[in-house]
């Protein structure tokens, strides 16, 4: 494997077949190399993003997602502008300098309403980054939100393979449109994050190798990869959890592909293994995203079963996260944490 890892570090990509070989790597050497690269570029710094899950209404019906439209068991909620501003205020005082506004595709939040919220956050927190993660929209809508002050956008591509995408989403959704959105966002000037779940129904190493090649082509600033976790009220409730070791291999490969990349160690990783977020950091991830949503709504943003961190106040979440990072020799920093090329 050493020669493949050297090649990946030097050339920042591999062939489809080589990616597949590296994805199957069983030993810890890949993880160690990725950890060293992460340390070389970021030291022991971990960036913090405050996640504000502001709506769980969604018009989409992705087969794997707990807040899909057809899940009639989901108790729906929306945060008001005032509640969102309150989350930012709490977050700012706790040291957050990035706010991530995430939600389902909720028609209530028109461009006018969202631009107003973004502009208010931008005016009050000029030293903070505003990240949106609100799904597929038109170019003009992305542009208006960017002009209102949003600077980053997270939109996982979910799977780069069109046929695989079609097996996981209703007909009217397409991988082509999702990728087009990512290219639009890049063109407008957002720092962009794509990504995918590991272990989704029908996923093979061939698909993951395609994902890695798509990531190489898009050249995003952030990539979010976490395990798939079934949700009991979805059509894929009986499927298996995503594999921890494979998820760690992918995070390590991403770190070696782009040493500057912003890579979160996800809540889903912390859900399938109590030490999952630490393990993610130890293979090169450099971002954690504690929850800033009001405790009263946390359990309602239920994307998958057994989701962690749904009961604590933001202050408790951040001190738990600080402790966890310090235990493995890393420190959370008060910084915006922009991508640096
Ligand atoms: N609506 C926005 C979008 O489509 O990007 C953001 C919200 S969506 C719930 C955020 C991400 O959650 C998805 O991109 C997906 O990768 C992840 N997700 C959904 N269901 C999941 C599950 N069952 N297990 C793990 N992750 C899941
Ligand atoms: Fe819309 Fe998951 S189906 S956020």
């Amino acid at each position: 494997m050493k020669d493949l890892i050297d090649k990946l570090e030097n050339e920042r990509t591999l062939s489809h077949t080589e990616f597949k070989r590296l994805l199957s790597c069983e030993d810890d050497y890949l993880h160690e190399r990725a950890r060293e690269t992460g340390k070389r570029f970021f030291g022991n710094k971990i960036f913090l993003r405050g996640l504000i899950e502001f709506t769980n209404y969604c018009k989409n019906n992705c087969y794997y997602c707990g807040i899909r439209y057809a899940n009639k068991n989901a108790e729906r909620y929306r945060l008001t502008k005032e509640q969102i501003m309150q989350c930012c205020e709490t977050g700012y005082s706790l040291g957050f300098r990035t706010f991530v506004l995430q939600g389902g595709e909720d028609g209530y939040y028109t461009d006018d309403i969202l631009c107003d919220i973004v502009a208010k956050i931008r005016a009050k927190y000029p030293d903070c980054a505003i990240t949106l993660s609100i799904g597929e929209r038109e170019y003009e809508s992305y542009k208006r939100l960017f002009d209102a002050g949003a600077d980053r956008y997270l939109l996982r591509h979910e799977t780069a393979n069109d046929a695989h995408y079609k097996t996981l989403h209703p007909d009217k959704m397409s991988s082509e449109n999702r990728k087009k959105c990512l290219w639009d966002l890049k063109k407008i000037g957002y720092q962009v994050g794509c990504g995918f779940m590991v272990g989704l129904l029908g996923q093979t190493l061939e698909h993951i190798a395609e994902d890695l090649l798509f990531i190489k082509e898009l050249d995003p600033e952030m990539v979010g990869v976490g395990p798939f976790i079934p949700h009991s009220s979805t059509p894929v409730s009986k499927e298996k959890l995503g594999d921890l070791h494979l998820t760690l291999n992918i995070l390590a490969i991403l770190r070696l592909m782009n040493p500057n990349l912003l890579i979160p160690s996800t809540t889903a990783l912390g859900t399938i293994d109590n030490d999952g977020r630490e393990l993610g950091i130890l293979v090169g991830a450099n971002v954690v995203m504690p929850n800033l949503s009001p405790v009263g709504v946390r359990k309602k943003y239920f994307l998958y079963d057994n989701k962690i961190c749904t009961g604590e106040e933001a202050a408790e979440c951040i001190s738990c996260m600080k402790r966890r990072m310090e235990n493995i020799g890393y420190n959370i920093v008060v910084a915006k944490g922009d991508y640096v090329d």
Side-chain angles (χ1 to χ4, degrees):
M1 289 293 167
K2 181 176 180 309
D3 48 332
L4 268 189
I5 295 171
D6 287 341
K7 183 172 177 196
L8 179 58
E9 266 210 307
N10 292 332
E11 300 180 14
R12 302 217 171 170
T13 192
L14 293 174
S15 69
H16 189 269
T17 317
E18 288 167 332
F19 269 135
K20 264 176 44 191
R21 267 186 59 211
L22 203 50
L23 285 164
S24 329
C25 181
E26 298 268 338
D27 59 47
D28 289 339
Y29 182 65
L30 169 65
H31 298 176
E32 283 158 18
R33 284 283 296 270
R35 175 156 73 237
E36 279 164 23
T37 302
K39 283 243 165 169
R40 212 164 48 247
F41 280 75
F42 293 96
N44 61 358
K45 278 200 284 218
I46 301 294
F47 295 119
L48 200 55
R49 316 304 194 203
L51 188 60
I52 305 172
E53 298 161 332
F54 70 99
T55 172
N56 71 350
Y57 281 87
C58 188
K59 70 175 167 58
N60 287 335
N61 249 327
C62 307
Y63 298 155
Y64 44 80
C65 184
I67 60 170
R68 65 198 300 268
Y69 175 76
N71 180 10
K72 300 297 174 211
N73 297 326
E75 201 185 319
R76 306 288 169 173
Y77 73 92
R78 289 184 180 109
L79 297 187
T80 61
K81 184 168 71 183
E82 291 68 32
Q83 285 174 304
I84 296 173
M85 293 308 290
Q86 182 58 53
C87 293
C88 295
E89 198 174 320
T90 308
Y92 193 87
S93 67
L94 292 170
F96 288 84
R97 295 297 177 267
T98 293
F99 304 120
V100 182
L101 267 55
Q102 189 181 86
E105 292 195 20
D106 179 356
Y108 169 84
Y109 293 96
T110 58
D111 290 348
D112 285 347
I113 293 181
L114 275 175
C115 284
D116 179 44
I117 295 171
V118 168
K120 286 238 159 29
I121 302 176
R122 172 55 56 240
K124 188 154 184 210
Y125 303 102
D127 56 335
C128 292
I130 303 173
T131 306
L132 298 177
S133 178
I134 48 176
E136 298 171 35
R137 298 174 85 91
E138 297 297 325
Y139 183 95
E140 272 318 308
S141 170
Y142 288 149
K143 177 81 173 80
R144 280 192 62 192
L145 291 162
F146 183 78
D147 292 340
D151 24 37
R152 302 182 190 148
Y153 205 102
L154 303 178
L155 184 76
R156 289 183 172 185
H157 64 280
E158 313 297 6
T159 167
N161 181 287
D162 198 36
H164 187 219
Y165 192 95
K166 282 200 170 13
T167 65
L168 300 163
H169 302 89
D171 281 349
K172 63 177 187 202
M173 296 178 76
S174 73
S175 152
E176 193 189 347
N177 194 56
R178 204 136 177 111
K179 288 178 182 165
K180 177 187 174 294
C181 288
L182 284 162
W183 289 112
D184 284 349
L185 290 160
K186 245 183 113 83
K187 192 164 159 198
I188 291 167
Y190 283 94
Q191 292 181 42
V192 169
C194 66
F196 59 94
M197 283 167 275
V198 180
L200 259 184
L201 181 68
Q203 187 187 54
T204 61
L205 291 187
E206 308 267 336
H207 292 136
I208 301 176
E210 261 183 70
D211 287 320
L212 294 170
L213 289 167
F214 171 69
I215 290 167
K216 180 70 202 164
E217 185 193 346
L218 181 72
D219 193 21
E221 285 78 16
M222 305 164 277
V223 178
V225 171
F228 159 71
I229 304 173
H231 183 292
S232 49
S233 303
T234 59
V236 293
S237 61
K238 299 282 181 298
E239 296 303 318
K240 282 203 317 253
L241 291 173
D243 183 74
L244 174 67
H245 187 79
L246 179 57
T247 308
L248 297 175
N249 279 3
I250 297 167
L251 296 177
I253 290 173
L254 290 169
R255 170 56 62 225
L256 294 162
M257 270 170 83
N258 180 356
N260 296 309
L261 197 62
L262 294 158
I263 307 176
S265 194
T266 60
T267 306
L269 199 50
T271 300
I272 64 161
D273 187 299
N274 187 36
D275 296 327
R277 284 164 301 175
E278 289 89 328
L279 294 171
I281 299 296
L282 292 170
V283 299
N286 58 348
V287 172
V288 288
M289 299 175 70
N291 205 317
L292 277 181
S293 314
V295 174
V297 302
R298 297 251 188 111
K299 283 196 168 53
K300 298 180 188 163
Y301 200 84
F302 211 48
L303 304 182
Y304 45 78
D305 292 344
N306 304 317
K307 189 175 171 217
I308 54 166
C309 304
T310 55
E312 299 84 13
E313 292 291 344
E316 291 170 67
C317 271
I318 180 76
S319 58
C320 160
M321 192 63 87
K322 275 188 180 147
R323 210 173 43 246
R324 282 176 174 271
M325 295 299 115
E326 282 163 16
N327 282 344
I328 54 166
Y330 287 79
N331 284 314
I332 285 175
V333 292
V334 177
K336 214 170 140 191
D338 276 318
Y339 181 82
V340 181
D341 211 351

